[in-house]
């Protein structure tokens, strides 16, 4: 797989405890929306037993200018190293990898996404809107609180006045005053408010393993055929 040294162009906090890192796209690097890459710190001052590399989905779409990753900034050696990378500094990247991509044809796509699992989803939806894809897309995106939601503004902007894309942010632990949208865990009743025939769409599950497992179970109980369920589990959460 091709390897590149990529240069950090910008880093920013995009949600509570969550940072996005923007890299200049290296010459000749091509990827499909939904794919991921492996990032390796060049000369880390410290490492731990998990090593000096991690996998991150590419959160911006292929048509966008930069390569962007976003991650929950836990206190691990790798993430301390990543956070301290200065603008202009470099990191080794290899890839792209993975086949978590939108299906061909006009069947609706329903994304059931949790927390940082939004990264490949943002890329896929932004690319689909850019290409004026024919099928409808519904994104049901769960976080504990609005502060923890990642790319909420980007997703709201993509959905604004757009009959092809419905964005449903869900908060599982928001106070009564702070959120008047969907609340609680994604369940059959909530899904039914946005999807009339649950067996019709192709589903895309992404996020921490526990969330992906719970969503798969829900869909299987509703008799969704296994080949209509695609999943990207973020190991390490
Ligand atoms: C296909 C794929 C795509 C991915 N895309 C992304 C992405 O876009 N963004 C992203 O952030 N991650 C993504 N991941 C996960 C990513 O590769 C890392 O595993 C993850 O970010 C955790 O890294 P870490 O350094 O925080 O923890 P690690 O050091 O890797 O932690 C390993 C273990 O320690 C535990 N642990 C570490 N710190 C804590 C803590 N503070 N609290 C509780 N437990 C802890 C973890 O649960 C885990 O069991 C992806 C993974 C896969 C497989």
């Amino acid at each position: 797989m091709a390897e590149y040294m990529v240069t950090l162009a910008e880093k920013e906090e995009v949600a509570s405890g969550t940072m996005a890192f923007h890299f200049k796209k290296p010459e000749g690097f091509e990827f499909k929306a939904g794919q991921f890459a492996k990032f390796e710190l060049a000369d880390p001052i410290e490492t731990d037993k998990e090593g000096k590399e991690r996998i991150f989905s590419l959160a911006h779409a292929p048509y966008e200018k930069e390569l962007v990753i976003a991650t929950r900034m836990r206190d691990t050696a790798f993430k301390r190293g990543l956070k301290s990378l200065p603008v202009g500094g470099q990191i080794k990247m290899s890839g792209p990898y993975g086949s978590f991509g939108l299906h061909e044809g006009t069947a609706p796509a329903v994304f059931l996404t949790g927390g940082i699992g939004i990264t490949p989803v943002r890329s896929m939806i932004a690319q689909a809107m850019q290409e004026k894809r024919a099928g409808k897309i519904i994104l049901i995106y769960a976080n504990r609180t609005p502060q923890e939601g990642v790319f909420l503004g980007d997703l709201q902007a993509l959905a604004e006045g757009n009959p092809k894309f419905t964005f449903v942010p869900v908060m599982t632990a928001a106070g009564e005053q702070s959120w008047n949208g969907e609340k609680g865990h994604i369940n059959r009743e909530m899904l039914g408010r946005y999807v009339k025939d649950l067996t019709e769409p192709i589903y895309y599950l992404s996020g921490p393993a526990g969330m992906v497992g719970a969503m798969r179970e829900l869909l299987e109980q509703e008799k969704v055929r296994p080949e209509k369920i695609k999943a990207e589990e973020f190991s390490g959460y």
Side-chain angles (χ1 to χ4, degrees), residues 151-183:
F151 301 131
L152 294 181
D154 288 8
L155 295 162
Q156 253 136 16
L158 284 170
E160 196 96 348
N162 184 347
K164 288 276 168 60
F165 173 43
T166 305
F167 176 42
V168 185
V170 179
M171 300 303 152
T172 59
E176 285 302 316
Q177 277 81 43
S178 64
W179 185 250
N180 51 23
E182 289 284 4
K183 290 192 193 87

Side-chain angles (χ1 to χ4, degrees), residues 36-37 48-51 53-59 69-79 116-120 232-237:
F36 59 88
D48 57 20
K49 68 175 174 43
E50 301 295 334
E53 52 183 50
R54 294 288 186 281
I55 284 168
F56 295 111
S57 302
L58 299 168
I69 58 172
T71 187
R72 301 292 198 205
M73 294 311 292
R74 301 195 308 201
D75 195 20
T76 65
F78 178 89
K79 290 190 177 168
I116 196 65
I118 197 66
T119 47
E232 190 83 303
E233 263 181 34
F234 282 20
S235 56
Y237 278 107

Side-chain angles (χ1 to χ4, degrees), residues 116-136:
I116 196 65
I118 197 66
T119 47
V121 174
R122 186 208 171 284
S123 174
M124 286 155 79
I125 294 176
Q127 187 71 26
M129 294 305 126
Q130 167 74 9
E131 290 173 359
K132 304 202 183 321
R133 187 178 179 277
K136 285 199 174 171

Side-chain angles (χ1 to χ4, degrees), residues 41-119:
L41 294 170
D43 282 310
I45 325 167
E46 51 164 351
T47 50
D48 57 20
K49 68 175 174 43
E50 301 295 334
K52 58 180 182 176
E53 52 183 50
R54 294 288 186 281
I55 284 168
F56 295 111
S57 302
L58 299 168
H60 274 199
Y63 83 86
E64 293 178 285
K65 196 169 148 245
E66 291 174 325
L67 293 180
V68 176
I69 58 172
T71 187
R72 301 292 198 205
M73 294 311 292
R74 301 195 308 201
D75 195 20
T76 65
F78 178 89
K79 290 190 177 168
R80 284 192 293 275
L82 182 63
K83 191 177 182 181
S84 66
L85 190 70
V87 167
Q90 291 196 311
I91 188 168
K92 194 196 279 183
M93 180 186 81
S94 62
Y97 302 100
S99 56
F100 192 55
L102 267 174
H103 56 276
E104 303 283 331
T106 56
V110 173
F111 289 86
L112 304 178
T113 307
I116 196 65
I118 197 66
T119 47

